[in-house]
Amino acid sequence: MLLVWHLLRSTLAARFNKPDSEIVDHYTYVILGDGCQMEGISNEASSLAAHWGLGKLIAFYDDNHISIDGDTEIAFTEDVDKRFEGLGWHVIWVKNGNTGYDEIRAAIKEAKAVKDKPTLIKVTTTIGYGSPNKSNSYSVHGSALGAKEVDATRQNLGWPFEPFHVPEDVKQHWSRHTSAGAAFEAEWNTKFAEYEKKYSEEAAEFKSIMSGELPSGWEKALPTYTPESPADATRNLSQQNLNALAKVLPGFLGGSADLASSNMTLLKMFGDFQKDTPEERNIRFGVREHGMGAICNGIALHSPGLIPYCATFFVFTDYMRAAIRISALSEAGVIYVMTHDSIGLGEDGPTHQPIEHLASFRAMPNVLMLRPADGNETAGAYKVAVLNKKRPSILALSRQKLSQLPGTSIEGVEKGGYIISDNSSGNKPDVILMGTGSELEIAAKAAEELRKEGKAVRVVSFVSWELFDEQSDAYKESVLPTAVTARVSIEAGSTFGWQKLIGSKGKAIGIDRFGASAPAGKIYKEFGITAEAVIAAAKEVS
């Protein structure tokens, strides 16, 4: 995450600094340990940091050779210095991290002098330093020393003060930063006031990014569609929305994990964020899904006006699930653009076909799982995602073309579940058909056939279960009247969870096994994701 803050320092500096006014000039510091170095995400992030030439990023590596299970030699013997040098970092080794304060100061000074690459300062320390019986031992890694060992450590270090007492000289040393910090802040505020006079447009954008206040009327940029609009994959419709939002939201940026041409996530009016072009907004993450998600978390948490999106195939959320969970835990409003959302992706086969993923993210707290069915719902999903700054949004998007359906709307998406068609009088249809994404069109076609037979049929789009759950009881009753127990759902994924919407007498059409390799039309027919299956189920339950 701290790597990201420096990435943002670079891009914000490039966008807003002027030859006569440098308003973004901070360094970013990271502290990490042996366990961090073992995790794969550290290599993903460190590789990108070097590639981007983040020269004001300084990482302190606490090299104490101890992890929870014991000495790191049992599992971790690589040469970290050479790895980081190979990645493109400047590396400094402070051999006496316990008391070598002057060495540490000198290392920081050297690191600041290196402008074209990040710096790793390896600081070799002794874990539990000063403890006569537990230092340099895994026993001090996750456990308290205990009263006796604390006393022994105090004596060993010659520390005469009672617990939690801060000696006066230490207090005076640190308290000087209070006035110094206030002076630095006042100096910056004066500098920014002058900047605002000279560069009013840039200052307004900068303040929007820092405050999170969205430009007035930004949502009007979202495209709208009619049933006469051409059919298209929601991944393509997503790109239209991304490019529309990038024009009106100064803090909107993101990219894909080496799949931009397939996820359709390039911002056409911007170039690539690179070492020499840090002002651009297309981020090339490479095949680093976990690192990508973590980086976007950092962007979202840096400033409330920064709105990051990242993309890959929906099935590859398995590689970045930990980052998505951190998004939810940290209340980071990341927009996850996940294409190839079902068996509809076809010939890539079951390895690439997400079956259980919709259900799994619906089970994750503080996540908005959205699966739009057409252009208006895609626009609605983006509106919801931009507005929800305290929770991540996942947009599951199709590879195959979908029709623009009558009755869908941006406003409907904001309710999570809403009626797109109903030929019943009053509020008691014979049967309610529900769908999401590409299967909403199938439900609509089934409804047309059932109506020809004299049935009163309601079709409901359930683009987001979470948003529907947040509506009033009265609204939910207006969409799903308790008295109507004849309900059928259709979704090209696991049926797990649909029971709460269809009830005990309803029927869920879905896929509770892995997919297969075949063209979309053929595989849908093979797995019974068809209008005929919906019609048969509707007759069965009504």
Side-chain angles (χ1 to χ4, degrees):
M1 181 181 295
L2 289 170
L3 173 153
V4 181
W5 284 31
H6 187 60
L7 175 156
L8 292 167
R9 191 217 70 82
S10 296
T11 191
L12 293 175
R15 286 174 62 180
F16 296 109
N17 283 352
K18 302 294 182 181
D20 63 343
S21 188
E22 188 178 34
I23 60 169
V24 181
D25 62 355
H26 57 280
Y27 284 83
T28 302
Y29 296 91
V30 181
I31 299 175
L32 66 155
D34 291 304
C36 305
Q37 296 286 25
M38 296 183 211
E39 293 282 2
I41 187 175
S42 70
N43 206 62
E44 292 184 23
S46 299
S47 175
L48 275 171
H51 170 74
W52 287 329
L54 302 184
K56 286 195 171 184
L57 175 63
I58 300 172
F60 293 92
Y61 165 33
D62 180 12
D63 170 45
N64 62 42
H65 295 277
I66 296 293
S67 61
I68 291 175
D69 275 354
D71 194 297
T72 54
E73 68 179 7
I74 63 175
F76 184 60
T77 53
E78 68 186 47
D79 190 325
V80 174
D81 298 38
K82 288 182 179 178
R83 171 158 68 96
F84 273 77
E85 287 171 354
L87 290 171
W89 286 58
H90 178 64
V91 177
I92 305 168
W93 182 15
V94 175
K95 297 180 181 180
N96 177 16
N98 297 324
T99 59
Y101 311 124
D102 289 338
E103 291 179 59
I104 294 172
R105 292 187 184 97
I108 295 171
K109 184 177 180 180
E110 180 183 336
K112 286 185 171 182
V114 178
K115 306 294 186 183
D116 61 342
K117 59 179 67 175
T119 296
L120 178 76
I121 302 176
K122 184 175 78 169
V123 186
T124 299
T125 62
T126 302
I127 193 169
Y129 175 72
S131 170
N133 299 304
K134 294 188 177 182
S135 66
N136 199 35
S137 167
Y138 72 93
S139 64
V140 79
H141 187 285
S143 303
L145 287 173
K148 289 184 178 180
E149 191 63 19
V150 167
D151 287 339
T153 302
R154 290 161 66 84
Q155 292 176 25
N156 191 37
L157 293 173
W159 186 257
F161 305 100
E162 64 272 19
F164 303 107
H165 175 75
V166 180
E168 192 59 34
D169 60 336
V170 174
K171 189 184 298 183
Q172 290 177 2
H173 178 78
W174 283 104
S175 62
R176 64 191 172 90
H177 294 293
T178 303
S179 56
F184 283 135
E185 183 178 359
E187 180 185 349
W188 188 89
N189 287 334
T190 300
K191 183 190 297 185
F192 187 75
E194 291 299 317
Y195 179 92
E196 196 167 14
K197 291 176 184 177
K198 295 179 181 178
Y199 310 105
S200 57
E201 185 176 335
E202 291 91 336
E205 285 196 3
F206 185 80
K207 289 168 75 173
S208 173
I209 288 173
M210 291 299 123
S211 69
E213 184 176 346
L214 297 173
S216 177
W218 67 271
E219 68 279 2
K220 295 177 183 176
L222 292 167
T224 56
Y225 306 84
T226 69
E228 290 70 45
S229 300
D232 208 346
T234 50
R235 64 170 175 169
N236 294 333
L237 299 167
S238 165
Q239 185 172 49
Q240 295 172 20
N241 281 270
L242 287 170
N243 279 271
L245 290 172
K247 294 175 182 177
V248 296
L249 299 176
F252 197 74
L253 75 168
S256 170
D258 198 49
L259 287 168
S261 60
S262 193
N263 298 145
M264 310 304 292
T265 50
L266 283 178
L267 302 179
K268 297 178 181 180
M269 70 289 295
F270 295 108
D272 291 345
F273 174 90
Q274 296 290 358
K275 182 189 300 187
D276 298 326
T277 53
E279 72 280 1
E280 302 292 356
R281 294 204 231 165
N282 285 304
I283 303 176
R284 302 286 191 170
F285 291 104
V287 188
R288 301 181 180 95
E289 291 88 357
H290 192 178
M292 174 176 70
I295 286 169
C296 284
N297 283 335
I299 294 173
L301 294 171
H302 181 278
S303 304
L306 289 170
I307 306 169
Y309 68 89
C310 61
T312 185
F313 291 171
F314 192 29
V315 76
F316 295 157
T317 53
D318 286 342
Y319 296 139
M320 58 191 305
R321 188 169 297 268
I324 297 174
R325 192 168 188 268
I326 289 295
S327 298
L329 276 166
S330 303
E331 299 183 347
V334 178
I335 302 174
Y336 291 93
V337 182
M338 299 293 126
T339 69
H340 297 62
D341 67 339
S342 72
I343 58 171
L345 65 88
E347 291 87 339
D348 280 346
T351 57
H352 284 53
Q353 294 169 359
I355 300 298
E356 74 280 18
H357 295 68
L358 287 165
S360 71
F361 285 113
R362 287 169 181 157
M364 187 178 285
N366 200 43
V367 170
L368 285 179
M369 183 68 247
L370 300 122
R371 189 168 183 244
D374 64 2
N376 287 326
E377 288 203 343
T378 302
Y382 272 105
K383 182 179 180 182
V384 164
V386 169
L387 290 173
N388 276 268
K389 297 181 181 180
K390 294 293 185 179
R391 56 181 168 178
S393 301
I394 304 174
L395 278 62
L397 305 168
S398 75
R399 177 192 183 191
Q400 73 271 34
K401 290 185 177 181
L402 307 178
S403 300
Q404 311 296 343
L405 300 174
T408 59
S409 68
I410 291 174
E411 297 73 25
V413 173
E414 295 176 69
K415 298 289 189 181
Y418 66 105
I419 301 166
I420 68 162
S421 69
D422 189 350
N423 71 322
S424 66
S425 56
N427 197 36
K428 200 172 185 305
D430 297 323
V431 63
I432 299 175
L433 307 182
M434 315 173 205
T436 74
S438 46
E439 291 72 68
L440 185 62
E441 181 178 0
I442 295 174
K445 288 179 178 178
E448 290 176 8
E449 296 304 314
L450 287 167
R451 288 166 185 160
K452 291 176 183 177
E453 299 178 15
K455 292 280 189 180
V457 184
R458 172 175 295 179
V459 181
V460 177
S461 170
F462 270 101
V463 59
S464 171
W465 294 12
E466 297 81 16
L467 290 174
F468 184 73
D469 285 343
E470 293 167 7
Q471 305 309 309
S472 68
D473 289 341
Y475 176 79
K476 286 186 276 191
E477 177 66 20
S478 73
V479 176
L480 294 181
T482 307
V484 182
T485 59
R487 304 177 183 183
V488 177
S489 68
I490 181 166
E491 186 171 67
S494 169
T495 59
F496 186 83
W498 274 103
Q499 202 67 41
K500 74 173 186 176
L501 294 173
I502 63 172
S504 59
K505 296 182 180 180
K507 185 174 180 63
I509 298 172
I511 305 170
D512 291 313
R513 49 153 287 190
F514 291 118
S517 179
K522 184 175 182 179
I523 196 171
Y524 265 68
K525 185 175 181 180
E526 179 70 22
F527 281 90
I529 310 298
T530 62
E532 291 76 16
V534 175
I535 292 167
K539 291 178 178 180
E540 180 184 334
V541 300
S542 61

